[in-house]
Amino acid sequence: MTHRHRVYLVPGFFGFTQMGDKETERIAYFQNVPRLLEQRFQERGIDARVHAIASAPTSGLEARARDVFREMARTANEDDAQLHLVGHSTGGLDARSVVSPRMAREAPDFVKRVRSVVTIATPHQGTPLASFSNQGGVGKTLLRYLWLFTFLTLHRKAMPLRTAALQACYWLVLRSEEAKLPPNLFNQIVRLTADLSEGEREELIQFFSQVGENQVLIQDLMPISMRAFNANTADREGVRYGCVVTGAPPPRWSLPLLLTPDALLHGLFAFLYAKSAPQSRELQIPERTPAQTQALQDVLGRRFESKSDGIVPSRSQVWGQVLHVATADHLDVMGHFDQPPEHISWLKSGSHFQQPQFQAMWDRVIDFTVGGAATVHPGKEEERRASSDG
């Protein structure tokens, strides 16, 4: 059967598709996204396939683009389908690289069949969070420690203390689930690591080995680096470019929140939000079109310049047509939001982004890529309607 469209989902920083073999314990980057897209394609009668692809976790943008070439090559030549790239965060930059005239000499022939590029929460002008992480090698040091911790935790040699600690954590997770406490990222990680198969263990060690060896991506995402990237990465003629912009409410503390298990994750979000410095002078934002500015104002308010999704300033995310603006944190739009058990929030931002907003956003992406519908940016009324539908 010939498929008229292929949609490639390109992940951001860390670049994995999923970790773990068991479906109930698997950590997926695109949480429930492929399932939703395939369901929507079927409902609309659209002949399309979805492919979530991997890339080098923390390698530089050039290396990641070549990874995308290699991953697309596994399926792109099976038919003459029109191709579409949807990149989240750094994955949006990878998508732009793949189709850019700069990469034309290296690009396989199938790249000529790419019809659209959608970037979601992508730091097109960089993020000051990368500059902070690059100062004194803070980010690189943390990533190397992460690799060391992972190696010591997962190494195949039996370590009684490690095994006992993992089993104790696993027991706590089971008790919390029996008490019907909301699941969180800690639960997911413990479930994944408490009972690893040999294949899972080797896969995780290999993945974090790449993280420990190469952290160039931190430097590449600094605003000053992105200015050079944009100067050398022109849009390709004949390809439509659209973006989804995210912005979360500024972190707010309350006594009830302080007394919940979410306090630590909300504290992490508050720290990241501050370091993303949405009004930093580092950011040099090119002039927007009136339509782009209006789209941001309609959802994020007139002071949208001060908004961030916790990782990337909202005003840094604009590239091409603004397809959708979401009140959401950086990971909400990938399906990591508070609506258990299908979805588990990683950042605890208090954005109140849930299933209706998730579906509305991805419907916009479908309209622009394979749906053939005219795309109009959503205003406040549409966001309110999505909320009331939930």
Side-chain angles (χ1 to χ4, degrees), residues 244-257:
V244 172
V245 177
T246 52
R252 291 186 178 89
W253 289 97
S254 64
L255 183 58
L257 177 61

Side-chain angles (χ1 to χ4, degrees), residues 99-176:
V99 300
S100 69
R102 173 175 58 84
M103 300 289 285
R105 289 184 180 178
E106 298 183 44
D109 281 345
F110 60 71
V111 169
K112 297 175 184 176
R113 305 202 323 263
V114 174
R115 295 293 176 263
S116 68
V117 169
V118 174
T119 61
I120 301 175
T122 294
H124 294 289
Q125 311 303 329
T127 173
L129 181 60
S131 303
F132 166 77
S133 301
N134 194 58
Q135 288 176 359
V138 172
K140 292 181 179 180
T141 301
L142 286 175
L143 290 174
R144 286 168 182 159
Y145 275 126
L146 177 63
W147 150 236
L148 180 61
F149 170 78
T150 307
F151 179 81
L152 293 176
T153 302
L154 301 180
H155 198 274
R156 69 178 67 188
K157 291 183 178 178
M159 296 181 184
L161 183 61
R162 178 203 69 189
T163 303
L166 284 174
Q167 291 302 318
C169 290
Y170 193 54
W171 183 86
L172 288 173
V173 166
L174 294 178
R175 298 294 81 77
S176 71

Side-chain angles (χ1 to χ4, degrees), residues 252-268:
R252 291 186 178 89
W253 289 97
S254 64
L255 183 58
L257 177 61
L258 287 171
L259 299 176
T260 68
D262 292 344
L264 181 61
L265 287 175
H266 188 72
L268 174 61

Side-chain angles (χ1 to χ4, degrees), residues 73-382:
R74 299 178 192 274
T75 55
N77 288 319
E78 291 180 6
D79 52 35
D80 59 354
Q82 295 184 9
L83 310 182
H84 309 271
L85 292 168
V86 179
H88 173 251
S89 193
T90 306
L93 303 176
D94 299 334
R96 285 177 50 205
S97 290
V98 163
V99 300
S100 69
R102 173 175 58 84
M103 300 289 285
R105 289 184 180 178
E106 298 183 44
D109 281 345
F110 60 71
V111 169
K112 297 175 184 176
R113 305 202 323 263
V114 174
R115 295 293 176 263
S116 68
V117 169
V118 174
T119 61
I120 301 175
T122 294
H124 294 289
Q125 311 303 329
T127 173
L129 181 60
S131 303
F132 166 77
S133 301
N134 194 58
Q135 288 176 359
V138 172
K140 292 181 179 180
T141 301
L142 286 175
L143 290 174
R144 286 168 182 159
Y145 275 126
L146 177 63
W147 150 236
L148 180 61
F149 170 78
T150 307
F151 179 81
L152 293 176
T153 302
L154 301 180
H155 198 274
R156 69 178 67 188
K157 291 183 178 178
M159 296 181 184
L161 183 61
R162 178 203 69 189
T163 303
L166 284 174
Q167 291 302 318
C169 290
Y170 193 54
W171 183 86
L172 288 173
V173 166
L174 294 178
R175 298 294 81 77
S176 71
E177 290 174 354
E178 288 175 4
K180 300 191 183 304
L181 294 176
N184 54 41
L185 179 58
F186 173 75
N187 295 38
Q188 277 194 298
I189 293 174
V190 170
R191 273 189 168 278
L192 176 63
T193 56
D195 185 24
L196 290 170
S197 68
E198 192 63 27
E200 288 174 324
R201 180 178 288 108
E202 292 300 323
E203 183 182 355
L204 286 172
I205 289 177
Q206 182 179 2
F207 174 83
F208 283 104
S209 292
Q210 295 179 61
V211 173
E213 291 169 3
N214 192 328
Q215 307 90 28
V216 173
L217 188 55
I218 294 174
Q219 188 171 341
D220 280 359
L221 297 179
M222 294 169 53
I224 190 172
S225 302
M226 284 307 304
R227 289 197 282 276
F229 174 86
N230 289 331
N232 294 322
T233 311
D235 289 350
R236 184 190 184 104
E237 188 176 349
V239 175
R240 292 174 292 114
Y241 292 80
C243 65
V244 172
V245 177
T246 52
R252 291 186 178 89
W253 289 97
S254 64
L255 183 58
L257 177 61
L258 287 171
L259 299 176
T260 68
D262 292 344
L264 181 61
L265 287 175
H266 188 72
L268 174 61
F269 173 75
F271 174 80
L272 294 172
Y273 197 104
K275 296 305 179 184
S276 69
Q279 292 182 298
S280 170
R281 292 182 179 178
E282 262 194 288
L283 290 169
Q284 294 184 10
I285 308 296
E287 187 175 353
R288 288 179 296 270
T289 66
Q292 290 171 336
T293 298
Q294 189 66 50
L296 295 173
Q297 286 183 350
D298 282 352
V299 177
L300 301 180
R302 299 190 66 83
R303 298 189 61 196
F304 64 83
E305 291 92 347
S306 65
K307 294 293 179 66
S308 162
D309 63 10
I311 304 293
V312 181
S314 301
R315 61 194 182 116
S316 182
Q317 301 174 27
V318 177
W319 195 271
Q321 183 178 347
V322 178
L323 309 181
H324 190 84
V325 181
T327 301
D329 66 45
H330 194 67
L331 296 174
D332 281 338
V333 286
M334 291 299 102
H336 302 287
F337 52 83
D338 289 313
Q339 194 170 342
E342 294 86 0
H343 303 265
I344 297 176
S345 178
W346 289 12
L347 286 178
K348 301 296 181 184
S349 62
S351 66
H352 303 296
F353 185 92
Q354 292 190 340
Q355 189 72 22
Q357 291 83 3
F358 181 66
Q359 292 180 350
M361 186 214 93
W362 282 101
D363 278 340
R364 289 289 177 185
V365 174
I366 292 173
D367 289 343
F368 185 77
T369 54
V370 306
T375 307
V376 181
H377 72 76
K380 291 182 179 178
E381 184 58 36
E382 184 171 343

